[in-house]
Amino acid sequence: PLRLPAEYHAEPDAHTGDGPITAAGITSPQRDDNEASSLRTTLGNGGAAIRLRTGDGPIEVTRKSD
């Protein structure tokens, strides 16, 4: 799992070939074509890209609340 602090500024981009993506503590995650296997969002003011990829398995992104 990827765990991020509450005040972190970034642009996560996650995709999995076969598995779900869960996002906790992230408001307004955008899913490509409403698919559970892709997710993009902007945290805070945006910033560095965080690219997460897996061919077979889940991805979990958690952002601590304030």
Side-chain angles (χ1 to χ4, degrees):
L2 175 64
R3 293 186 175 98
L4 302 169
E7 297 300 319
Y8 196 76
H9 302 281
E11 296 184 18
D13 175 7
H15 179 79
T16 177
D18 184 25
I21 298 176
T22 56
I26 296 175
T27 56
S28 303
Q30 300 170 352
R31 301 202 181 263
D32 292 343
D33 298 325
N34 293 322
E35 292 183 24
S37 61
S38 294
L39 177 138
R40 288 185 186 157
T41 194
T42 299
L43 301 177
N45 296 325
I50 299 175
R51 189 169 181 221
L52 306 164
R53 299 288 187 268
T54 182
D56 185 20
I59 295 175
E60 179 183 335
V61 181
T62 303
R63 186 176 188 202
K64 288 185 177 184
S65 54
D66 293 332

